Amino acid sequence: MGTPDIRDTPEEWRVTATETPFTGNKTSVRRDEVVMPGGSTAHRDYQVHPGSVAVLALDDEDRVLVLRQYRHPVRHRLWEIPAGLLDVPGENPLHAAERELYEEAHVKAGDWRVLTDIYTSPGGCDEAVRIFLARDLSAAEGERFETAEEEADMELARVALPELVRGVLAGELHNTCLTVGVLALTAARAADGGLDALRPAGAPWPARPFS
């Protein structure tokens, strides 16, 4: 038996009916009736999400910029990396990532790469996230962005990458983007070509096409 082609591929099964029973501020819930193999149909409920970007910002001392924020659905205060929604349809994800790094950490970066692209919970949500690697960090100009709600209580820190990896593997850190980001960065460094082999910041993103 040969080795299969190990890559995700687009595919769309036929939908015979759809409805949106709930619409929120940023997301909604959709119910589709999907034709299964063999001809039967099944209902699939899922959250419709605009997509997100996240930034693993790495400084010259090999520390990652992280923030601690309360997340009500899981009743936890989680350590995370800067991240935010793609609020504008078709927005360039790099521009969104630069904005989030400025707003949440008052930092700018001189070097940007795509670290990885993920679906956070494809069984129940269509959210796609692009995680960037940002290096050559410096303080942003001007006044700090005025935060509100959960972000008004954020705690910022710079933590050594090995300590974050240890925390992930010990079950002490749970945020998806932080977990995937620090493990992907560790793997990228060990791979052929190292970080220089990462995709450029403007690489195509079929899950959330942009101009």
Side-chain angles (χ1 to χ4, degrees), residues 54-56 94 97 109-116 130-135 193-203:
V55 185
L56 195 152
L94 175 58
D111 183 82
W112 290 84
R113 301 276 180 139
V114 175
L115 186 55
T116 190
R130 169 157 282 189
I131 304 177
F132 289 91
L133 172 65
R135 293 178 292 176
L195 300 184
D196 289 337
L198 290 172
R199 289 171 290 162

Side-chain angles (χ1 to χ4, degrees), residues 14-171:
R14 187 163 65 92
V15 174
T16 59
T18 187
E19 60 178 315
T20 304
F22 171 79
T23 300
N25 185 32
K26 298 292 185 180
T27 67
S28 61
V29 173
R30 181 175 298 164
R31 165 169 285 193
D32 289 343
E33 188 172 298
V34 186
V35 178
M36 299 285 117
S40 64
T41 60
H43 287 106
R44 292 292 177 262
D45 299 332
Y46 58 99
Q47 182 185 28
V48 178
H49 194 285
S52 307
V53 292
V55 185
L56 195 152
L58 188 69
D59 69 14
D60 293 338
E61 298 179 38
D62 213 35
R63 300 176 302 174
V64 177
L65 194 157
V66 292
L67 51 92
R68 192 166 179 246
Q69 184 172 347
Y70 176 67
R71 294 300 188 182
H72 186 71
V74 295
R75 308 305 199 271
H76 268 69
R77 191 182 291 268
L78 301 178
W79 284 104
E80 307 178 352
I81 57 178
L85 298 175
L86 289 168
D87 295 312
V88 181
E91 181 180 17
N92 187 305
L94 175 58
H95 297 166
E98 291 172 331
R99 180 183 67 242
E100 294 300 329
L101 186 60
Y102 162 72
E103 291 181 356
E104 296 191 348
H106 200 64
V107 166
K108 63 180 180 179
D111 183 82
W112 290 84
R113 301 276 180 139
V114 175
L115 186 55
T116 190
D117 299 324
I118 60 173
Y119 291 115
T120 55
S121 185
C125 180
D126 71 352
E127 181 185 15
V129 181
R130 169 157 282 189
I131 304 177
F132 289 91
L133 172 65
R135 293 178 292 176
D136 187 18
L137 306 183
S138 60
E141 295 88 359
E143 297 182 1
R144 295 189 66 93
F145 181 79
E146 186 175 348
T147 56
E149 299 177 348
E150 290 93 343
E151 293 182 353
D153 193 37
M154 285 193 309
E155 175 185 350
L156 294 172
R158 297 194 182 203
V159 180
L161 178 63
E163 176 60 18
L164 294 175
V165 172
R166 184 207 63 78
V168 169
L169 298 180

